[in-house]
Amino acid sequence: MGLTYAELTLTNLFTNQRVQVNALVDTGATFMCVTEEVALQLGFDITEVRQQTVTLADGHQRKVPKIAPIEIAFANRNYVTEAVVLGNEPLLGILPLEAMDLVVDPRQQALIVNPQHPNYPVALAK
């Protein structure tokens, strides 16, 4: 099984600055993660934002900048959220995946809208 990437449009909702990114889809991650370069392209000053404590894959905890509000857009879906500034490539975690009702198709190594709800996202509320 290989890695899955998706083309996303990220928008800073304060300034309407947009950036297109090719993000790694990671169902083991929680948040949307962006690089420092992407945060700056979106117009955020990462020295003036809140911090989020995250646990890295190796078990270490670290405080990282958290930018908000951003909109994530993919296909006919969008989600307003926050993102942590971390790593060397954008990463799409499980919170935005669930909120936008997206699924990973492992055969095609592709991110797709949920085929059970092709026209709009449906969230599980139970």
Side-chain angles (χ1 to χ4, degrees):
M1 192 156 135
L3 302 176
T4 300
Y5 284 85
E7 287 292 324
L8 309 174
T9 301
L10 306 178
T11 305
N12 175 339
L13 293 180
F14 284 135
T15 64
N16 280 329
Q17 289 175 262
R18 286 188 170 86
V19 173
Q20 291 216 285
V21 299
N22 191 32
L24 175 64
V25 179
D26 186 349
T27 59
T30 303
F31 300 107
M32 177 77 212
C33 300
V34 299
T35 64
E36 185 175 334
E37 178 184 2
V38 169
L40 295 173
Q41 289 174 347
L42 286 169
F44 289 99
D45 179 347
I46 62 171
T47 65
E48 295 183 357
V49 296
R50 292 187 163 204
Q51 301 280 305
Q52 171 75 47
T53 301
V54 297
T55 302
L56 304 175
D58 66 5
H60 287 89
Q61 288 189 339
R62 190 166 130 192
K63 280 192 172 191
V64 297
K66 180 169 59 174
I67 59 174
I70 65 164
E71 180 183 64
I72 304 167
F74 175 82
N76 64 343
R77 310 293 166 97
N78 58 26
Y79 178 55
V80 175
T81 188
E82 56 200 18
V84 294
V85 181
L86 174 71
N88 61 359
E89 69 179 332
L91 190 138
L92 183 65
I94 197 67
L95 288 178
L97 286 171
E98 290 289 332
M100 293 191 290
D101 199 12
L102 301 172
V103 295
V104 177
D105 180 340
R107 290 181 193 213
Q108 296 180 40
Q109 287 181 262
L111 185 66
I112 59 172
V113 298
N114 187 337
Q116 295 178 351
H117 315 119
N119 300 317
Y120 51 86
V122 175
L124 188 60
K126 60 178 181 176

